[in-house]
Amino acid sequence: MINAALFGWPVVAAVLAMRLYWPHALLAILVGGYLLLPEQGGINLPLIPTFDKASIPSIIAVILALLLRPGQQTNPYSGPQENETPSAQPGWLPRSLIVQGLLAVFILGTLATAMTNGDRITFAATDYFRPGLTLYDGFSMALAALPMILPLLLGRKFFAHPDTHITLLWGLVIMGLAYSLPTLFEIRMSPRLNLWVYGFFPHDWQQHIRSGGFRPVVFLRHGLLLAIFMAMVAVAVFGLSRVDKKRRGLLILAGLWIMGTLVLSNSLTGLLVAALLVPIVLILGARGQLMVAAVIAGIVLLYPMLRNADLIPTDRIVSVAEQIDPSRALSLNFRFENEELILAHAHDRPVFGWGSFGRNRLYDDLGRGIDTVDGAWVVAFTSGGWVRYLTQFGLMALPLIVFAIRRRRFEVTMATSVLSLMLAANMIDLIPNAGLSPVTWLIAGALLGRLELGQVRVEDPTAAQAASTPRTQPAYALARDRSPETDLDASAAMAGTEDLDLDPDTVDSALAPYTRQRKRHIRERPRAAPKRKRSLS
């Protein structure tokens, strides 16, 4: 069943690509594969990446995109008055030199890691050792990064436009609502769907018994991954309620459903992330949301430095967690103590790290591991050093920080700011957990692609609706939009007034945007003296 699911997914992907609108099909291929395919199984060939759940959806999506060449396609779900979907970004590589540099260092930095870790790690009480790395291992680690890079490139190419950001939000919301049904089943019946369908449980069963109940897993690697996915969906659905005002009531109910599912999932981290960011997405505007996302991204980007300088209040965080659940506080305190040991080990090789094959871990004299590597930041920092950490997390943090600093230049819409908050939510989870997924890189790619587009004007649906509403207004009101078309309309509206004795300032005022400042200017301007009537005699 495992191999049938993995190697049957290309057939499913091809059918989806032929039957669905391409952005919808791409979402179903990538996110659907992440949510449904088994964690075990696959083919591990020499040098090239393993064909498994992490790589098959991304590789098949790239192949289908190259074969079908989807560019400008009409959205079958849009009305006849709506425009076609924006074309895909040209090329597959980002045009930004900064992003190109981050990608190059992220991939090729593994070669430097291999070249600086050629020594063996031996243990005093046994003949067991950890081998040194070769250049072959460096190439293997570089290719292993492709499952992360491909969703980013797909998101940058096909989800860069603000309109496709709304499509991305709707796709994640719909799939999150559908995934909540098996989640609720496992909350009640225990996490057994993966065992029933694929014949194995992906993790330790004891870790999924919480507070007299169960932590659901469905088909993911761990219940924590399911919790952060649901937290991101909660941010998406409440953010979408502010974008799509016609369905706001329905979306609020859907958001409450997702939050209820998250509460019952017995995962403290996901619940706290949703509780922190959902009020922000409901209260603040696009500018405030971008500022919060940028602050989170900056903290995560500098987290190893802040942690080493004791600027992270770990004791206070543990005390707050203890008030919520003492058992969770013990687990959190263990992770913080474990981080201190790992940081001390990582500082021996801070630039390029210790490499893979377990070299980044701590061992006793018998070669037994004495640490626990949980967070994604720990894996990146210890295995690849500052080079790997800054490039990997920099690809996620860069668009969030740039949007916050130069929001007006890019004219960032609410859909883009909500996606930024979703990515920030995932980055928070990368500190205590290893929550990297194709969803993470797909959103990061969509935001990086939005940076490449620059300034994009998106029609406001509310303004369009107001413009279509008939109302009595003077003909010169057509000149509020000073585009060439409306200038022609305004000229036609003023036709026939050549013989009238009008003041040029008055005509110019009529054609200017009617604002409060203009109203005050017209009211305070002295009136011209009335002209004398000519005598008929």
Side-chain angles (χ1 to χ4, degrees):
M1 186 61 186
I2 295 176
N3 291 332
L6 288 174
F7 298 105
W9 193 250
V11 178
V12 175
V15 174
L16 292 173
M18 297 298 294
R19 299 294 299 273
L20 296 179
Y21 171 57
W22 172 248
H24 298 173
L26 182 57
L27 274 174
I29 294 170
L30 291 179
V31 184
Y34 170 67
L35 297 177
L36 298 177
L37 292 180
E39 291 290 338
Q40 296 182 6
I43 299 178
N44 188 8
L45 298 177
L47 190 63
I48 65 175
T50 303
F51 289 99
D52 56 5
K53 174 178 180 173
S55 61
I56 288 177
S58 301
I59 293 174
I60 193 61
V62 172
I63 293 174
L64 289 173
L66 293 173
L67 293 177
L68 299 178
R69 297 184 180 275
Q72 188 170 352
Q73 300 182 5
T74 302
N75 189 342
Y77 301 100
S78 63
Q81 302 297 328
E82 297 185 12
N83 297 328
E84 293 183 344
T85 300
S87 300
Q89 287 275 70
W92 282 92
L93 294 179
R95 297 193 299 270
S96 170
L97 293 178
I98 297 177
V99 179
Q100 289 179 5
L102 289 175
L103 284 173
V105 176
F106 176 60
I107 297 175
L108 299 180
T110 57
L111 301 180
T113 299
M115 294 174 63
T116 55
N117 283 275
D119 57 316
R120 296 196 309 176
I121 299 177
T122 59
F123 308 102
T126 180
D127 294 335
Y128 181 71
F129 64 91
R130 291 286 178 178
L133 302 181
T134 63
L135 198 59
Y136 176 89
D137 299 321
F139 279 110
S140 180
M141 289 187 293
L143 291 176
L146 285 181
M148 303 182 192
I149 300 301
L150 291 182
L152 181 133
L153 298 179
L154 289 167
R156 172 254 165 200
K157 185 173 180 63
F158 297 108
F159 289 99
H161 196 274
D163 291 343
T164 56
H165 288 183
I166 299 178
T167 302
L168 183 54
L169 288 175
W170 268 112
L172 292 174
V173 166
I174 292 173
M175 284 186 278
L177 289 172
Y179 215 62
S180 67
L181 299 179
T183 300
L184 291 172
F185 173 83
E186 289 199 344
I187 290 173
R188 179 65 181 88
M189 303 300 296
S190 78
R192 59 182 65 206
L193 288 177
N194 200 96
L195 187 62
W196 287 350
V197 175
Y198 295 120
F200 69 93
F201 190 75
H203 208 272
D204 183 12
W205 178 270
Q206 296 296 326
Q207 292 190 18
H208 296 83
I209 301 176
R210 286 288 186 271
S211 303
F214 299 100
R215 175 188 286 166
V217 179
V218 192
F219 301 114
L220 300 182
R221 186 174 70 253
H222 198 283
L224 296 174
L225 296 177
L226 177 58
I228 192 59
F229 174 75
M230 285 298 174
M232 295 171 67
V233 171
V235 174
V237 68
F238 282 111
L240 200 57
S241 68
R242 300 190 62 185
V243 176
D244 193 344
K245 296 182 179 180
K246 292 182 179 181
R247 303 178 178 87
R248 185 170 187 177
L250 185 62
L251 288 168
I252 291 293
L253 291 177
L256 294 176
W257 175 273
I258 294 294
M259 287 298 296
T261 305
L262 193 56
V263 170
L264 297 174
S265 296
N266 290 314
S267 179
L268 183 60
T269 304
L271 182 59
L272 290 179
V273 169
L276 172 65
L277 297 183
V278 165
I280 291 174
V281 80
L282 287 175
I283 297 173
L284 299 183
R287 179 182 180 183
Q289 295 175 15
L290 292 174
M291 292 299 295
V292 172
V295 170
I296 294 173
I299 293 175
V300 175
L301 190 62
L302 300 177
Y303 183 80
M305 186 183 301
L306 298 175
R307 188 74 175 84
N308 188 51
D310 292 331
L311 295 178
I312 302 296
T314 56
D315 296 335
R316 185 175 181 180
I317 295 174
V318 172
S319 63
V320 172
E322 189 174 4
Q323 296 176 3
I324 301 175
D325 190 344
S327 62
R328 306 288 177 87
L330 290 175
S331 175
L332 187 60
N333 185 59
F334 171 77
R335 295 191 181 195
F336 284 144
E337 293 177 351
N338 190 67
E339 285 181 358
E340 295 179 359
L341 297 175
I342 294 176
L343 279 174
H345 178 60
H347 286 163
D348 292 337
R349 298 185 182 181
V351 181
F352 297 109
W354 285 90
S356 57
F357 304 113
R359 294 173 55 89
N360 59 330
R361 296 191 58 187
L362 293 173
Y363 300 93
D364 58 13
D365 292 339
L366 296 176
R368 296 173 299 189
I370 58 175
D371 63 345
T372 302
V373 179
D374 287 326
W377 81 270
V378 173
V379 177
F381 189 69
T382 57
S383 61
W386 276 109
V387 172
R388 173 68 178 268
Y389 184 85
L390 291 178
T391 53
Q392 178 175 319
F393 283 82
L395 289 170
M396 293 179 273
L398 177 64
L400 306 186
I401 297 174
V402 174
F403 281 144
I405 296 175
R406 313 192 71 173
R407 179 187 66 88
R408 291 185 178 181
R409 175 186 175 183
F410 293 97
E411 295 186 357
V412 178
T413 61
M414 181 70 71
T416 303
S417 64
V418 171
L419 279 179
S420 300
L421 274 181
M422 293 174 63
L423 183 57
N426 203 160
M427 292 183 70
I428 294 174
D429 187 67
L430 297 181
I431 298 300
N433 304 311
L436 276 175
S437 68
V439 181
T440 310
W441 293 110
L442 185 65
I443 296 176
L447 295 177
L448 287 173
R450 179 67 183 87
L451 282 180
E452 289 188 12
L453 285 181
Q455 189 177 25
V456 178
R457 293 188 178 273
V458 182
E459 183 180 359
D460 186 3
T462 305
Q465 183 179 2
S468 63
T469 304
R471 57 183 177 182
T472 304
Q473 56 183 356
Y476 61 77
L478 296 172
R480 294 177 182 175
D481 184 4
R482 301 307 299 267
S483 61
E485 292 80 2
T486 52
D487 285 341
L488 293 176
D489 294 338
S491 301
M494 296 299 294
T497 62
E498 295 84 356
D499 297 333
L500 297 179
D501 191 6
L502 296 179
D503 185 17
D505 294 335
T506 305
V507 176
D508 188 48
S509 300
L511 294 178
Y514 191 69
T515 62
R516 292 182 179 178
Q517 292 79 5
R518 171 60 61 183
K519 180 178 180 182
R520 184 170 62 252
H521 173 70
I522 294 174
R523 184 175 62 250
E524 295 176 355
R525 185 175 56 191
R527 295 179 177 273
K531 295 183 177 181
R532 294 180 179 179
K533 296 182 179 181
R534 293 182 179 180
S535 175
L536 297 177
S537 58

